[in-house]
């Protein structure tokens, strides 16, 4: 979801690695140990929670979290909770990073000291005030002054334990008095409308100086409107040493993309789209990006998304793969390095193949996690009472099951992956004509070694399990992954490929020709171009599931329409809910019956994070756990129903209550909607890609590596005029044709420079229009003060 600004869309995303905590304070009891978990919060709203690590003061989490941030925020916070024997959760401490400080920690492991948490340190939000100071002449002729304080509203107050019943106090404090007045309490809202006025008499001494007592100019005294962030109170609590609560290791990557309208990106976009046709491909703009980025994956992520959006990912990957094959001397090392080709194919498989992976592996992985059968085959690691032969048989059965589901899944492999595999096979077979197996190993090096095997090894990273598996299950999956990887590799001496003798002995179970033949048949199927119609697959694909709260739909005319917690499940066939996971569905909505999926305004039920699934006869009102979950459900439901023929163009943003729609006050429950629908997402379930956003990301990368682009230009010049030993600083670049590469670099630098000017101009224009004290930059917002400093350094306009 983008935040719309004038002529610009702003996208925010965050990728977090939660590593470990250390030196947590001991539990005040005989055991001393704690059962701890960590949460990720946007301000005070929890959006992610790790597993509980039991009986440790140095818990290791090792969990990753990625989300698109759907709203503005001030702090990215992390809380460490302890779950005690009574199943109550208490906060040990927190790490809070201000939004403007996130670049300091960008993409590097950092240890943060945990800070204490109390109610007054958690105050957040904005308050809208009007202050009026006026002179009043009393009946006796004495001049006194009255300060009228009008509290209009607050926004974005924190919700604690699911509740927010706010009120406001106004205190006039001075050397000799402290006078406080209080508003009424507003129930169940974190955006309360107060609109109350309080009067204070202000008596000034004879030595009064207007500007020494008040912080506003003389002409502002008559009426001053202020908006500012609510600040924590200093409650005089004792301060502890920073190390008292321990520390937390985090790696945070926060990205903010400022995306212009599509026409701004035309020169750079056209240059990138020509990449597959440039001869040699190493002289193309896309390949150049891979050369200047510090890590190939940094370039691969936006490039793959960009080319997928414009339908050019297969020609581009085919071109760079063919160039890499030509540089490869030994067929046994084909596609084994971390090249731009391998990273691009990895990223394509992640995007296009995730549902394929889930359909193929998830049922068996879940069974392995639940059954807890012992599969340890290392004699040194056997526990007392375990039998080696039994463990080998358990492991053999698991390997057989996973191997069989993989080789039978060829018909489900996404078309884009098959087309890429076809080009890999053809390039490898043409380059190494004397090796009959290279056509298979070129494909298996991706589908087995970089797709199935990593997913089996770390299922939580591929969303096959909700959390990291326990140590015993993790060991079982490691052994399965090793065996599957070797089965798929088609190596000549398979037993010798294992370092451990016990693995070589176990592999003898699978050292039969039928396994190699099955692998080759599978690889032939997935690397054959145009062999099937993907729409012929009838098996439902599970897209998303989880607990949410839904409002009774009122299928009966009378009776309570209360809210209940239900397990929701979405496939590409239907959207259902049931009491608990695994129960029979209580209600099912066929995908073709979803007419729109839209947010529901908070005023409807005084509840945040609500959305509505609109059907022909009624709307289902649902509350998600947080803003990130709400966005994820809305996006996936919208995508899967995008092609429905009867989709609505207008809807009601509020609910129908007490005989009328709250939004437009229409009395008929069948009245047409009063607001245009927002569901303008692509219909493809798997891919929700914004081409302009990806072009903006590529521009940002080029811009951040401008010094390397210039160095690459120098390298082109050096190679054109000098044919001797190459300077070491230029040898890192792949430059097959210096003249063509230089020509491309010149166009890239020009395109990036033009976009940089547009961004700078936009910032200057916005800076001139934005007033300090406005809602966009409230008083007390440190980020605006930082903004002023940045603009004063780069802008010629005065503040």
């Amino acid at each position: 979801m983008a935040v719309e600004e004038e002529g610009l869309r702003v996208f925010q995303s965050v990728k977090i690695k939660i590593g470990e905590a250390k030196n947590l304070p001991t539990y005040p009891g005989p055991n001393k140990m704690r059962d701890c978990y960590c949460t990720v919060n946007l301000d005070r709203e929890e959006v992610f929670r790790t597993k509980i690590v039991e009986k440790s003061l140095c818990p290791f989490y090792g969990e990753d979290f990625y989300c698109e941030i759907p709203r503005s925020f001030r702090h990215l916070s992390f809380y460490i909770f302890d779950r005690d024997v009574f199943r109550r959760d208490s906060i040990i401490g927190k790490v809070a990073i201000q939004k403007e400080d996130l670049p300091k920690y960008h993409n590097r492991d950092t240890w943060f000291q945990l800070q204490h948490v109390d109610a007054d340190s958690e105050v957040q939000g904005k308050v809208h005030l009007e202050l009026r100071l006026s002179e009043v002449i009393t009946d006796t002729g004495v001049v006194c002054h009255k300060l009228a304080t009008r509290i209009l509203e607050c926004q974005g107050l924190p919700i604690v334990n699911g509740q927010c019943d706010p009120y406001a106090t106004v205190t006039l404090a001075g050397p000799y008095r402290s006078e406080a007045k209080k508003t009424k309490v507003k129930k169940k809202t974190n955006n309360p409308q107060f609109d109350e006025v309080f009067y204070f008499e202000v008596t000034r001494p004879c030595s009064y100086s207007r500007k020494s007592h008040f912080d506003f100019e003389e002409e502002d005294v008559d009426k001053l409107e202020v908006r500012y962030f609510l600040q924590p109170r200093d409650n005089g609590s004792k301060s502890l040493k920073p190390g008292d609560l321990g520390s937390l290791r985090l790696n945070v990557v926060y990205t903010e993309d400022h995306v212009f309208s599509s026409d701004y990106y035309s020169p750079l976009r056209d240059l990138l789209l020509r990449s597959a046709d440039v001869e040699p491909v190493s002289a193309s703009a896309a390949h150049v990006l891979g050369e200047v980025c510090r890590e190939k994956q940094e370039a691969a992520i936006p490039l793959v998304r960009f080319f997928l959006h414009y339908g050019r990912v297969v020609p581009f990957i085919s071109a760079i793969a063919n160039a890499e094959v030509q540089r490869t001397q030994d067929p046994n090392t084909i596609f084994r390095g971390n090249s731009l080709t391998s990273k691009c194919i990895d990223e394509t498989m992640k995007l296009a193949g995730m549902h394929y992976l889930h359909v193929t592996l998830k049922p068996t992985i879940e069974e392995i996690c639940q059954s807890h059968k012992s599969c340890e085959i290392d004699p040194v690691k056997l526990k007392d009472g375990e039998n080696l032969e039994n463990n080998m048989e358990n492991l053999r059965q698991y390997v057989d099951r996973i191997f069989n589901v993989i080789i039978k899944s060829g018909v489900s492999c996404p078309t884009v992956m098959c087309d890429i595999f076809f080009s890999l096979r053809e390039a490898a077979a043409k380059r190494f004509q004397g090796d009959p197996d290279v056509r298979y190993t070129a494909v298996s090096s991706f589908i087995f070694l970089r797709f199935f095997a990593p997913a089996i090894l770390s299922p939580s990273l591929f969303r096959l399990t909700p959390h990291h598996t326990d140590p015993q299950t993790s060991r079982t999956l490691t052994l399965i992954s090793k065996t599957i990887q070797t089965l798929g590799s088609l190596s000549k001496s398979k037993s010798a490929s294992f370092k451990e003798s016990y693995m070589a002995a176990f592999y003898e179970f699978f050292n039969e020709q039928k396994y190699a033949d099955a692998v080759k048949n599978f690889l032939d199927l997935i690397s054959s171009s145009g062999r099937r119609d993907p729409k012929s697959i009838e098996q439902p694909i599970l897209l998303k599931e989880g607990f949410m709260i839904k409002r009774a739909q009122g299928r009966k005319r009378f009776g309570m329409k209360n809210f209940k917690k239900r397990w929701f499940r979405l496939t590409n066939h239907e959207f259902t809910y049931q009491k608990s996971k695994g129960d029979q569905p209580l209600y099912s909505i066929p995908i073709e019956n979803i007419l729109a999926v839209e947010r529901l305004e908070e005023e409807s039920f005084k509840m945040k994070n609500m959305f509505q699934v609109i059907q022909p006869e009624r709307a289902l009102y649902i509350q998600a756990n947080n803003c990130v979950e709400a966005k994820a459900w809305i996006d996936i439901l919208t995508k899967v129903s995008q092609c429905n023929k009867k989709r609505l163009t207008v809807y009601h943003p509020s609910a129908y209550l007490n005989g009328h729609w709250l939004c437009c006050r229409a009395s008929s429950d069948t009245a047409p909607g009063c607001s245009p629908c927002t569901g303008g997402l692509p219909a493809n379930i798997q891919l929700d890609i914004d081409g302009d956003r990806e072009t903006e990301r590529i521009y940002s990368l080029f811009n951040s590596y401008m010094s390397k682009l210039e160095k690459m230009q120098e390298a082109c010049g050096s190679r054109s005029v000098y044919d001797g030993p190459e300077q070491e600083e230029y040898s890192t670049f792949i430059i097959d044709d210096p003249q063509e590469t230089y020509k491309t670099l010149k166009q890239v630098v020009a395109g990036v420079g033009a976009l940089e000017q547009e961004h700078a101009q936009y910032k200057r224009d916005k800076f001139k229009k934005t007033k300090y004290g406005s809602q966009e930059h409230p008083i007390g917002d440190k980020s605006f003060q930082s903004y002023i400093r940045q603009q004063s350094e780069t802008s010629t306009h005065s503040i």
Side-chain angles (χ1 to χ4, degrees), residues 425-461:
R425 186 186 73 174
E426 294 300 296
K430 186 176 179 181
R431 172 76 171 87
F432 300 103
Q433 296 181 16
D435 188 333
D437 285 335
V438 74
R439 58 186 292 176
Y440 296 114
T441 54
V443 177
S444 67
S445 63
F446 288 102
I447 195 70
F448 281 102
L449 273 65
R450 304 174 80 111
F451 188 63
F452 285 125
I456 297 166
L457 183 66
S458 304
S460 64
L461 298 182

Side-chain angles (χ1 to χ4, degrees), residues 605-622:
F605 302 107
K606 304 296 183 187
M607 295 167 67
K608 291 175 70 69
N609 303 319
M610 289 201 72
F611 64 94
Q612 51 185 317
V613 180
I614 304 170
Q615 312 161 67
E617 66 278 7
R618 65 180 67 87
L620 174 60
Y621 298 134
I622 303 171

Side-chain angles (χ1 to χ4, degrees), residues 13-289:
S13 64
V14 66
K15 182 171 67 175
I16 300 163
K17 291 181 184 290
I18 303 172
E20 59 189 310
K22 67 179 181 181
N23 302 329
L24 299 181
T26 58
Y27 186 78
N31 185 19
K32 305 292 186 186
M33 295 292 107
R34 294 181 182 269
D35 300 340
C36 298
Y37 63 90
C38 179
T39 67
V40 179
N41 298 60
L42 293 174
D43 297 325
R44 288 293 305 280
E45 184 180 9
E46 181 183 320
V47 295
F48 177 73
R49 178 179 295 198
T50 68
K51 65 180 182 295
I52 296 173
V53 177
E54 297 181 345
K55 299 177 182 177
S56 175
L57 298 179
C58 297
F60 177 80
Y61 298 106
E63 297 198 35
D64 297 338
F65 173 64
Y66 173 84
C67 75
E68 296 283 333
I69 300 176
R71 61 172 177 81
S72 60
F73 71 102
R74 296 200 66 228
H75 290 89
L76 182 64
S77 303
F78 304 83
Y79 291 80
I80 299 289
F81 284 87
D82 177 29
R83 175 161 289 184
D84 67 15
V85 292
F86 301 106
R87 314 300 288 173
R88 290 195 299 262
D89 300 347
S90 57
I91 296 178
I92 296 175
K94 74 168 183 179
V95 171
I97 309 173
Q98 291 190 23
K99 180 181 176 181
E100 58 266 27
D101 289 338
L102 287 171
K104 296 179 187 175
Y105 311 107
H106 184 78
N107 201 20
R108 59 187 177 91
D109 280 7
T110 307
W111 283 97
F112 294 89
Q113 294 290 339
L114 290 173
Q115 304 296 320
H116 285 274
V117 178
D118 57 58
D120 289 322
S121 74
E122 297 294 298
V123 177
Q124 292 168 349
K126 301 176 189 175
V127 62
H128 182 184
L129 301 175
E130 283 184 4
L131 305 177
R132 187 192 301 269
L133 184 68
S134 53
E135 293 184 344
V136 179
I137 302 176
T138 65
D139 293 339
T140 59
V142 177
V143 176
C144 70
H145 299 83
K146 281 193 175 182
L147 178 65
T149 305
R150 182 185 179 196
I151 303 180
L152 286 92
E153 61 181 324
C154 289
Q155 292 180 2
L157 300 181
I159 297 175
V160 182
N161 297 326
Q163 295 182 329
C164 187
D165 300 328
Y167 63 90
T169 60
V170 181
T171 303
L172 183 64
Y176 307 107
R177 68 166 172 168
S178 179
E179 184 180 355
K181 300 185 179 184
K182 175 181 167 182
T183 67
K184 296 175 182 176
V185 176
K186 298 293 182 181
K187 293 284 188 180
K188 296 182 179 178
T189 178
N190 69 332
N191 297 306
Q193 304 283 327
F194 293 111
D195 203 7
E196 295 189 41
V197 182
F198 300 112
Y199 295 94
F200 298 91
E201 283 197 9
V202 182
T203 305
R204 290 173 172 155
C206 296
S207 61
Y208 160 70
S209 164
R210 184 186 296 263
K211 289 186 182 179
S212 66
H213 257 62
F214 297 93
D215 283 337
F216 32 77
E217 300 291 335
E218 184 171 351
E219 63 269 17
D220 293 333
V221 168
D222 290 339
K223 185 176 181 181
L224 181 71
E225 179 178 302
V226 185
R227 292 173 188 258
Y228 65 94
F229 281 112
L230 302 177
Q231 300 294 326
R233 291 183 294 183
D234 180 8
N235 62 359
S237 62
K238 64 176 182 178
S239 60
L240 299 179
K241 295 178 182 177
D244 284 348
L245 296 178
S247 54
L248 179 65
R249 180 166 61 89
L250 302 168
N251 185 304
V252 180
V253 177
Y254 171 73
T255 305
E256 191 172 289
D257 299 317
H258 295 80
V259 182
F260 289 113
S261 58
S262 192
D263 54 302
Y264 283 82
Y265 298 103
S266 292
L268 183 59
R269 179 174 59 239
D270 294 345
L271 187 62
L272 288 163
L273 287 173
R274 290 198 298 270
S275 293
D277 303 319
V278 172
E279 289 287 348
V281 71
S282 60
S284 68
H287 197 281
V288 163
L289 182 65

Side-chain angles (χ1 to χ4, degrees), residues 346-363:
D346 286 351
E347 193 60 29
T348 304
M349 292 192 299
K350 275 184 198 173
L351 286 168
M354 192 58 73
H355 295 304
Y356 168 48
L357 196 64
H358 280 225
V359 169
T360 306
L361 292 183
K362 192 171 184 180

Side-chain angles (χ1 to χ4, degrees), residues 598-602 604 612 651-655 663 673-675:
E598 298 287 347
R599 293 187 178 276
L600 189 69
E601 290 182 353
E602 185 183 338
S604 297
Q612 51 185 317
Y651 78 108
H652 292 284
S654 290
C663 40
C674 56
S675 297

Side-chain angles (χ1 to χ4, degrees), residues 282 287 291 327 711-742 745:
S282 60
H287 197 281
E291 290 300 292
R327 288 192 295 269
K711 187 73 71 178
M712 200 170 177
Q713 283 182 311
E714 292 174 15
C716 289
S718 173
R719 293 187 188 186
S720 295
V721 299
Y722 178 62
D723 202 23
E726 188 168 22
Q727 294 184 41
E728 188 176 343
E729 60 180 328
Y730 298 151
S731 62
T732 56
F733 302 119
I734 294 176
I735 301 174
D736 297 316
D737 187 324
Q739 284 82 11
E740 280 299 315
T741 307
Y742 186 86
L745 284 163

